[in-house]
Amino acid sequence: MAEVRFDGRVAVVTGAGGGLGRAHALLLASRGAKVVVNDLGATVDGTGASSSLADKVVEEIRSAGGEAVANYDGVDTWEGGHAIIETAVKNFGKVDILINNAGILRDKSFMKMEEADFDKVMAVHVKGAFNVTKAAFPVMRENNYGRIMMTTSAAGLYANSGQVNYSTAKMALVGMMNTLQLAGARFTILCNSIAPIAGTRMTATVMPPNLAVKPNPVFVTCRVAYALSEQRAD
């Protein structure tokens, strides 16, 4: 990682108030990127809102000498997705990197799952990734450069009991990634996805306590950073 830098690049990280998103934002900023730290500040099930999570990460970045601004919009609306990218353009003039990391959980057995539980998870993960990417893509195309990262999951790739909504959403992101890779290739816009395993407040509900604290999000972020770098050429 010693030679991977992001000087002059502008990155947007959704759901960056904690866990993987925070790790992504901190590492990119430490390597020279200007970062938009987006987080609605909701609970794990997507309810509530607070500016404190995003603000704290921005302060961490600035205290370390980096550049960052906060954004508190929800990704699950068209307006919110576009407002996130507008924050990047207004403050830093462009967007080069987008990490679609925002997510929620509403785990229930299939028999007990209600329509609202399914719809909200799909709205945040799938529609959210679409909304923010749709806003970022024209900016990247104009600059003939972009790096987009989707966050999928082993729950989608291999299934997980009690997570039919989450599993469905995460697998949908793989299809979105594959098609965006085709759409962006001639504009040097590359799209990838990662199925991370890390100890976060979301995995705390599905991983054994003795295991949940062990996988450090930074280990995932190192892989993500390389995939988002100029060194990645395919």
Side-chain angles (χ1 to χ4, degrees):
M1 291 294 294
E3 296 181 2
V4 174
R5 298 285 305 178
F6 298 94
D7 301 290
R9 296 300 183 190
V10 176
V12 173
V13 185
T14 68
L20 283 167
R22 172 180 171 273
H24 298 335
L26 292 176
L27 182 57
L28 290 173
S30 74
R31 295 298 178 105
K34 300 173 183 178
V35 182
V36 174
V37 178
N38 160 261
D39 204 294
L40 178 64
T43 60
V44 174
D45 68 358
T47 57
S50 172
S51 63
S52 62
L53 293 179
D55 286 342
K56 183 177 180 180
V57 177
V58 168
E59 182 56 35
E60 286 185 82
I61 291 172
R62 290 177 177 173
S63 295
E67 295 185 60
V69 295
N71 174 277
Y72 319 113
D73 289 285
V75 300
D76 58 336
T77 67
W78 177 268
E79 294 78 14
H82 282 68
I84 293 166
I85 299 304
E86 286 170 8
T87 299
V89 174
K90 179 180 178 180
N91 285 275
F92 302 128
K94 61 176 180 173
V95 56
D96 301 300
I97 296 166
L98 169 61
I99 304 179
N100 287 304
N101 172 76
I104 65 168
L105 289 176
R106 292 196 177 184
D107 296 350
K108 290 182 181 178
S109 68
F110 187 63
M111 290 296 293
K112 294 182 179 179
M113 186 168 291
E114 298 178 0
E115 183 180 20
D117 299 317
F118 188 88
D119 288 349
K120 185 62 175 179
V121 169
M122 292 293 288
V124 174
H125 291 270
V126 183
K127 185 71 185 302
F130 170 78
N131 289 334
V132 186
T133 305
K134 186 65 168 64
F137 205 88
V139 182
M140 293 178 173
R141 176 173 169 169
E142 184 176 349
N143 294 322
N144 202 45
Y145 183 89
R147 297 289 187 270
I148 301 168
M149 179 65 66
M150 301 293 182
T151 308
T152 184
S153 172
L157 298 172
Y158 306 112
N160 196 32
S161 179
Q163 290 191 312
V164 69
N165 48 3
Y166 184 78
S167 298
T168 302
K170 287 305 188 184
M171 202 60 189
L173 292 174
V174 175
M176 190 183 298
M177 171 206 70
N178 286 331
T179 303
L180 286 175
Q181 179 72 358
L182 297 176
R186 66 192 181 105
F187 305 109
T188 324
I189 301 172
L190 307 182
C191 190
N192 208 335
S193 64
I194 192 164
I197 297 177
T200 69
R201 65 174 183 164
M202 287 181 67
T203 56
T205 64
V206 295
M207 296 173 68
N210 64 325
L211 179 61
V213 297
K214 293 182 179 179
N216 192 320
V218 173
F219 300 147
V220 175
T221 293
C222 291
R223 293 290 190 120
V224 170
Y226 177 77
L228 296 172
S229 69
E230 294 181 46
Q231 283 87 339
R232 183 203 165 196
D234 56 14

